[in-house]
Amino acid sequence: MIKEFRQLLAWSARFTTPQHALLLPIQSVASARHLLPLARLANEMGIDARYTLSRRIGSGESGPSIRTDFNTCAREVDSVQAHRHRWTLVVVADHGHFRTLLPTSSPVIHIGHGSPSKTGPRDQHLPWEYGMAPRRRNREVAYREMIEASDQVRAELVRTEPSLAGRIHVLGRLLDDEMLEAATDRTRMLQTLQLDPDKPILMVASTIRSSSLFGRYWDVMLPQLRPLANRYQVVLCPHPNEHAMWKARLGEESGMLMSGPEQSAENVLAVAQALVVDFSSLSHKASLLDVPMVLSHCDPLPVWSKGATARLYKVWPQWDGSVALETCLREAEAMRGHPATQAVKEWVNSRPGQARRHFAGLLAEYFPAARSIDA
């Protein structure tokens, strides 16, 4: 009934006066992380930015921290208000809960909450962001635009589905740029994260479900990480959706840290010297920073065969629990700067450091009176 009510409100919104504002719908911690830099940019340009939270995320443990971050640059509206109005622009970073905003006739743009990589159940030839996207009756993607960070990804997607040619625009990724900037001021970021500046950081990151690094190897992994804690600060970064579960499993484990669900994993990565990860898009971001990585063996690998994850798995050492993790880490560290690892960068982001300028241009198209900014 709730979904039907939202749809009814959205259809009626077609006949209302448009709200001259940018609406940012948030349905997960991951989508919040990717929309927050856009909210900040809009605020700097003098654009009225609003955000709305799904009921699950708004009432969950991450709701207060998300509100604290967004309230500095945007105003909250509830889901009823979001569906009751037309908006100058709506930008989503996920599918699902807020696809009912499409009938408002507001222009809706999708920016994704990771790099195109994982596949969904509908179409194994397309990454999840496209295979699971809402479609019109003619099967074309319902979003006005889908923003990507890589020219190579766009070209491959268009080859797979030619109708996407007019929908995909390459602007870079604001969160990547914030990460790259954080990496240049490592001292400040270490202070923010309350980490020891004199001890290297090993980041261990996982996506969700049983096929993930934590889901598959947790009980094998912890005994191998304990001795590494003498050499590194070991920071465990579970997917926000499973943080509580893995926090409880870790207990009072000495010598290892676990990042909170409200913390940006990209900030931890910005100061890391090595990474153990699975098919999370954090592996893509590590390639931008030249962070050596060990990839967990996953079979079958739920990734888009054309994307950067499949390419990374062909380059970096894989760990399946049968050999010492420390051995794989040394192998990865010896590969730092390898030409094959450099080639992956273009598949991840063709506009590193340029997203702010490109996204400002996009916002200016919808809000012509917005202030210009320094790129």
Side-chain angles (χ1 to χ4, degrees), residues 34 113-118 129 148 173 176 281 284-285 348:
H34 284 261
H113 67 268
S115 304
S117 170
K118 304 175 188 71
E129 290 86 346
E148 285 302 338
R173 187 169 286 111
D176 285 1
S281 61
H284 299 200
K285 300 177 188 302
V348 175

Side-chain angles (χ1 to χ4, degrees), residues 113-275:
H113 67 268
S115 304
S117 170
K118 304 175 188 71
T119 56
R122 290 186 189 170
D123 192 337
Q124 297 299 310
H125 300 291
L126 287 168
W128 181 91
E129 290 86 346
Y130 293 83
M132 298 296 289
R135 302 271 175 163
R136 298 194 176 100
R137 289 184 178 180
N138 62 4
R139 299 306 302 154
E140 289 189 358
V141 169
Y143 301 120
R144 178 172 292 192
E145 298 177 52
M146 295 188 75
I147 307 303
E148 285 302 338
S150 164
D151 292 313
Q152 284 84 341
V153 166
R154 179 187 184 279
E156 195 58 56
L157 286 166
V158 170
R159 273 193 288 273
T160 304
E161 186 174 331
S163 65
L164 292 171
R167 299 290 174 88
I168 302 175
H169 299 277
V170 179
L171 303 183
R173 187 169 286 111
L174 288 166
L175 197 57
D176 285 1
D177 286 5
E178 287 193 354
M179 178 189 70
L180 292 168
E181 184 177 347
T184 65
D185 193 356
R186 193 169 184 274
T187 300
R188 179 186 64 81
M189 186 51 62
L190 286 168
Q191 290 174 345
T192 300
L193 297 171
Q194 298 182 316
L195 293 171
D196 184 352
D198 298 320
K199 193 173 184 181
I201 295 163
L202 171 62
M203 180 179 183
V204 185
S206 179
T207 186
I208 57 176
R209 303 189 183 97
S210 60
S211 60
S212 68
L213 169 61
F214 286 7
R216 193 175 279 238
Y217 297 110
W218 179 266
D219 291 331
V220 178
M221 180 182 70
L222 280 192
Q224 296 205 28
L225 287 176
R226 289 188 188 103
L228 289 173
N230 296 322
R231 174 180 166 196
Y232 296 101
Q233 294 175 89
V234 178
V235 182
L236 302 172
C237 297
H239 190 282
N241 290 0
E242 294 185 348
H243 178 270
M245 178 179 71
W246 295 117
K247 180 69 173 176
R249 289 279 297 273
L250 184 65
E252 299 300 321
E253 183 75 38
S254 61
M256 282 181 266
L257 307 171
M258 180 171 284
S259 64
E262 73 287 346
Q263 291 177 310
S264 171
E266 287 78 9
N267 287 342
V268 178
L269 185 58
V271 295
Q273 277 74 32
L275 172 68

Side-chain angles (χ1 to χ4, degrees), residues 18-74:
Q19 296 284 304
H20 189 64
L22 167 68
L23 179 67
L24 303 172
I26 299 167
Q27 71 177 62
S28 67
V29 174
S31 61
R33 289 175 181 169
H34 284 261
L35 290 171
L36 182 59
L38 185 61
R40 290 172 176 155
L41 177 61
N43 182 64
E44 187 177 345
M45 296 175 68
I47 296 168
D48 183 7
R50 316 283 181 92
Y51 71 96
T52 185
L53 303 177
S54 70
R55 180 180 297 180
R56 180 185 63 82
I57 199 70
S59 60
E61 64 174 336
S62 299
S65 63
I66 290 174
R67 288 187 172 98
T68 297
D69 289 337
F70 275 82
N71 285 342
T72 63
C73 52

